[in-house]
């Protein structure tokens, strides 16, 4: 089954190792094959990786786009270890990313890493507010406990 990709005017996406830009009209593409596809809204540049969770997302993104977990695993394990030392309550989210990587579902690992970014933001917001009510169950931000 082909991937249906609807693009807004001037939207870009990555297909394999190529960046493809849409023209000035809305477009629908159907992509057959197993090349990695990443929409512009899901692409994180190294300059935008400004937090520990975003750095983890960036490494998972590289794993997905390069189709090469092994060359990025040392950095990934270092970053996740440092993240969990600072935020042990995120262990369920990191375990989910790890499982997605181990099962070679790297796109799903990206989605899980996005949840880690949201959780990190929740921790930062709670710390700024002085809240002691932090999520420790690995549920998505906004999910009931």
């Amino acid at each position: 089954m082909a991937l249906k990709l609807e693009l807004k005017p001037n939207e870009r996406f990555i297909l394999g190792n190529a960046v493809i830009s849409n023209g000035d009209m809305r477009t629908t593409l159907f992509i057959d094959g197993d090349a990695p596809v990443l929409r512009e809204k899901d692409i994180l540049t190294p300059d935008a990786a400004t937090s520990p969770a975003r750095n983890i997302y960036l490494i998972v993104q590289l794993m997905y786009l390069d189709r090469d977990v092994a060359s990025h695993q040392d950095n990934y394990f270092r970053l996740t270890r440092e993240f969990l030392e600072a935020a042990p309550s995120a262990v369920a989210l990191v375990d989910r990313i790890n499982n997605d990587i181990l099962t070679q579902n790297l796109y799903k690992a990206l989605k899980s890493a996005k949840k880690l970014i949201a959780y990190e933001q929740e921790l930062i917001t709670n710390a700024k507010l002085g809240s002691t009510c932090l999520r420790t169950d690995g549920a998505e931000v906004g999910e009931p406990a």
Side-chain angles (χ1 to χ4, degrees):
M1 185 163 116
L3 171 67
K4 181 180 178 182
L5 192 61
E6 294 184 17
L7 299 172
K8 298 175 186 170
N10 305 308
E11 186 175 5
R12 299 180 313 163
F13 70 99
I14 295 175
L15 176 62
N17 62 0
V19 176
I20 300 172
S21 299
N22 189 23
D24 53 0
M25 297 182 67
R26 191 168 187 82
T27 304
T28 301
L29 300 173
F30 295 91
I31 302 170
D32 273 320
D34 66 351
V37 176
L38 202 54
R39 297 180 73 100
E40 184 172 17
K41 68 178 182 159
D42 296 321
I43 298 169
L44 184 69
T45 63
D47 291 340
T50 56
S51 73
R54 289 177 184 272
N55 281 314
I56 291 169
Y57 182 95
L58 181 63
I59 293 296
V60 175
Q61 175 182 286
L62 292 172
M63 289 176 180
Y64 173 66
L65 292 174
D66 295 345
R67 301 254 172 163
D68 184 8
V69 173
S71 67
H72 300 289
Q73 71 184 10
D74 289 343
N75 283 333
Y76 172 78
F77 287 129
R78 179 183 52 79
L79 290 169
T80 55
R81 184 178 55 253
E82 290 170 2
F83 189 89
L84 289 174
E85 286 172 2
S89 60
V91 69
L93 291 169
V94 172
D95 283 348
R96 191 177 310 167
I97 299 166
N98 289 342
N99 188 56
D100 294 336
I101 292 169
L102 286 171
T103 59
Q104 294 296 307
N105 197 339
L106 296 175
Y107 184 77
K108 190 174 178 185
L110 274 176
K111 291 172 75 175
S112 297
K114 257 194 175 179
K115 292 175 185 175
L116 186 67
I117 292 170
Y119 183 71
E120 176 186 54
Q121 187 57 53
E122 181 182 342
L123 290 175
I124 291 167
T125 300
N126 286 338
K128 286 180 181 177
L129 295 174
S131 173
T132 59
C133 256
L134 301 178
R135 296 301 296 268
T136 59
D137 57 3
E140 289 185 39
V141 175
E143 276 187 4

